[in-house]
């Protein structure tokens, strides 16, 4: 087993998943504004440190994705944040893309940037303790979109990123996110997501990326958030499994879904059914941002010094996600 494969499996095995706490300062400011907490470096650290010291980190969280600001911060007890994460048994990771920018000649679409100087940045992050990374590409479904141009150029960037990350001895998370915004059907989401993931793997193979040392982070197959034809959780799981089976090469160790705007309960229930119906050999787990943190953020915002209540909320959510990653979640356990 290669070292990269070993790290990937450590992150996603045994009902563990990923806590995506890598919101850029811009995105984190929006999240904090929404709960009326000033977005200062100290507050961003306090919230994240509270989560990273929770009990559920040991059983439920295999990896944490950080943002550049956080990986360079120290906890209130003076411990570097990557050390705090490692001490719970989880693997520290880092977002290395520099954001989605307008794609020339298709201005309604985005291309993710960050390749310039990436090799040097990766060296620095490795020294800080990171052992895996994330790069997110985004695609819109609307009219003729995503265009071939967006599908190709983002796959190319994801592949160049992945090759550089593996050269630096870290596991790349490959995240092609087909957005749920719009009134499209689940069937269209299935077609477009399948096309996007296929193109990503063509590019990864061309760039000689070791597929046993990556984690794929896709969206689940859902109807658009403005669609009148919502599908059931069982249908979500069936379509998502169909998509993965038809597009992901067997060497890939596992899939860690993003939540993408689903509620905490929806994201948990859908993952649970994916695992209950899983007829593939892939591990299916979570790499949630909002669907792991929303409730905890709300609790924390009422009293930012109330560590216990914030951690209780987070522990319950992480536990539910971990049960879902094993196909053992139920509404009774959710409401306990
Ligand atoms: P959400 O689960 O909130 O979609 O965030 C996951 C993520 O890392 C997006 O890049």
């Amino acid at each position: 087993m290669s070292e990269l494969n070993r790290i990937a499996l450590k992150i996603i095995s045994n009902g563990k998943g990923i806590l995506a706490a890598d919101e850029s300062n811009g995105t984190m400011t929006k999240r904090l504004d929404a709960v009326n907490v000033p977005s200062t470096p100290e507050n961003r650290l306090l919230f994240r440190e509270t989560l990273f010291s929770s009990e559920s980190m040991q059983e439920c969280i295999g990896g944490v994705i950080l943002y550049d600001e956080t990986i360079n911060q120290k906890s209130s007890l003076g411990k570097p944040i990557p050390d705090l994460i490692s001490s719970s048994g989880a693997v520290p990771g880092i977002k290395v893309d520099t954001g989605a920018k307008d794609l020339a000649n298709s201005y309604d679409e985005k291309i993710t940037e960050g390749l310039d100087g990436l090799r040097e940045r990766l060296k620095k992050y490795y020294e800080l303790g990171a052992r895996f990374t994330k790069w997110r590409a985004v695609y819109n479904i609307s009219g003729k979109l995503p265009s071939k141009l967006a599908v190709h150029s983002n796959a190319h960037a994801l592949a160049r990123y992945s090759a550089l990350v593996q050269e630096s001895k870290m596991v790349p998370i490959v995240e092609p996110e087909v957005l749920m915004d719009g009134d499209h059907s689940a069937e269209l989401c299935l077609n477009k997501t399948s096309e996007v993931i296929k193109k990503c793997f063509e590019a990864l193979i061309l760039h000689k990326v070791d597929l046993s040392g990556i984690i794929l982070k896709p969206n689940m197959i859902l109807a658009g958030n403005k669609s009148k034809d919502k599908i059931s959780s069982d249908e979500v799981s069936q379509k998502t499994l169909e998509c993965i089976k038809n597009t992901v090469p067997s060497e890939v160790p596992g899939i860690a879904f993003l939540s993408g705007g689903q509620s905490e309960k929806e994201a948990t229930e859908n993952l649970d059914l994916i695992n209950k119906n899983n007829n593939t050999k892939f591990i299916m787990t979570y790499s949630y941002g909002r669907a792991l943190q929303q409730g905890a953020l709300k609790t924390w915002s009422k009293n930012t010094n109330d560590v216990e209540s914030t951690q209780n909320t987070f522990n319950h959510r992480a536990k539910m996600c971990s049960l879902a990653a094993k196909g053992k979640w139920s509404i009774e356990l959710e409401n306990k």
Side-chain angles (χ1 to χ4, degrees):
M1 191 195 288
S2 72
E3 178 59 12
L4 293 178
N5 182 245
R6 197 191 61 75
I7 298 171
L9 287 173
K10 178 175 155 102
I11 296 170
I12 58 174
S13 298
N14 304 320
K16 288 189 177 180
I18 299 170
L19 167 58
D22 61 318
E23 297 86 358
S24 64
N25 287 348
T27 303
M28 198 58 192
T29 298
K30 274 190 226 153
R31 305 264 191 271
L32 292 172
D33 283 352
V35 292
N36 298 313
V37 176
S39 182
T40 60
E42 293 75 22
N43 281 339
R44 294 192 286 269
L45 175 64
L46 182 59
F47 176 62
R48 287 165 167 158
E49 182 187 344
T50 306
L51 301 190
F52 304 161
S53 344
S54 301
E55 189 193 303
S56 56
M57 285 288 296
Q58 293 171 27
E59 244 185 75
C60 309
I61 306 295
V64 179
I65 318 174
L66 299 168
Y67 182 59
D68 181 74
E69 176 182 76
T70 323
I71 200 170
N72 285 292
Q73 284 173 319
K74 286 199 168 85
S75 74
S76 46
L77 295 174
K79 209 177 202 182
I81 291 298
D83 293 359
L84 176 65
I85 291 166
S86 308
S87 66
S88 73
V91 181
I94 179 78
K95 185 223 299 285
V96 299
D97 68 64
T98 55
K101 310 286 161 57
D102 288 344
L103 174 62
N105 293 331
S106 184
Y107 298 110
D108 288 338
E109 297 190 283
K110 303 282 179 194
I111 176 74
T112 302
E113 295 189 348
L115 290 170
D116 287 353
L118 180 57
R119 183 177 271 134
E120 289 69 34
R121 287 194 293 126
L122 291 172
K123 239 177 236 154
K124 192 189 83 184
Y125 288 136
Y126 187 94
E127 281 162 18
L128 287 169
R131 292 294 178 269
F132 76 103
T133 65
K134 174 186 127 172
W135 179 289
R136 170 175 174 259
V138 283
Y139 311 82
N140 266 311
I141 298 181
S142 128
K144 291 203 170 104
L145 305 185
S147 68
K148 268 194 178 155
L149 178 60
V151 173
H152 274 263
S153 39
N154 277 297
H156 173 83
L158 276 164
R160 283 194 57 201
Y161 141 81
S162 299
L164 282 165
V165 169
Q166 290 192 334
E167 179 191 273
S168 301
K169 303 192 178 347
M170 294 186 279
V171 170
I173 292 194
V174 175
E175 181 177 1
E177 176 175 4
V178 178
L179 297 169
M180 63 150 79
D181 303 341
D183 59 6
H184 53 269
S185 65
E187 202 53 35
L188 192 61
C189 176
L190 172 62
N191 292 341
K192 296 300 175 187
T193 304
S194 301
E195 180 189 337
V196 161
I197 296 178
K198 269 189 195 150
K199 275 286 168 263
C200 283
F201 280 106
E202 277 176 31
L204 290 167
I205 290 165
L206 181 67
H207 287 254
K208 302 187 168 64
V209 172
D210 170 8
L211 298 184
S212 74
I214 72 160
I215 296 169
L216 179 69
K217 175 166 174 166
N219 50 285
M220 294 179 192
I221 305 301
L222 306 163
N225 56 6
K226 297 199 185 82
S227 166
K228 288 188 199 82
D229 302 313
K230 292 276 178 322
I231 59 171
S232 69
S233 283
D234 197 50
E235 287 170 299
V236 169
S237 75
Q238 299 293 356
K239 285 192 193 306
T240 303
L241 285 163
E242 182 185 337
C243 174
I244 298 300
K245 244 195 300 188
N246 292 334
T247 59
V248 183
S250 61
E251 299 93 307
V252 174
I255 317 293
F257 293 98
L258 58 94
S259 59
Q262 298 176 73
S263 72
E264 292 179 318
K265 186 173 149 272
E266 241 180 311
T268 310
E269 184 174 8
N270 287 339
L271 178 64
D272 180 60
L273 283 165
I274 288 172
N275 277 294
K276 284 192 166 96
N277 295 326
N278 189 0
N279 50 3
T280 74
K281 64 166 265 300
F282 300 113
I283 294 171
M284 305 275 187
T285 188
Y286 48 94
S287 177
Y288 292 165
R290 283 161 287 181
L292 270 172
Q293 299 181 85
Q294 243 159 29
L297 183 64
K298 221 175 188 181
T299 306
W300 177 75
S301 69
K302 290 180 196 146
N303 175 359
T304 58
N305 291 315
D306 187 351
V307 172
E308 194 184 339
S309 304
T310 306
Q311 291 187 341
N312 284 343
T313 309
F314 178 69
N315 287 335
H316 180 66
R317 193 72 257 136
K319 185 92 201 140
M320 292 304 111
C321 286
S322 177
L323 286 168
K326 299 178 191 156
K328 291 184 172 163
W329 174 87
S330 69
I331 192 70
E332 291 75 29
L333 292 167
E334 176 72 40
N335 294 334
K336 234 183 199 173

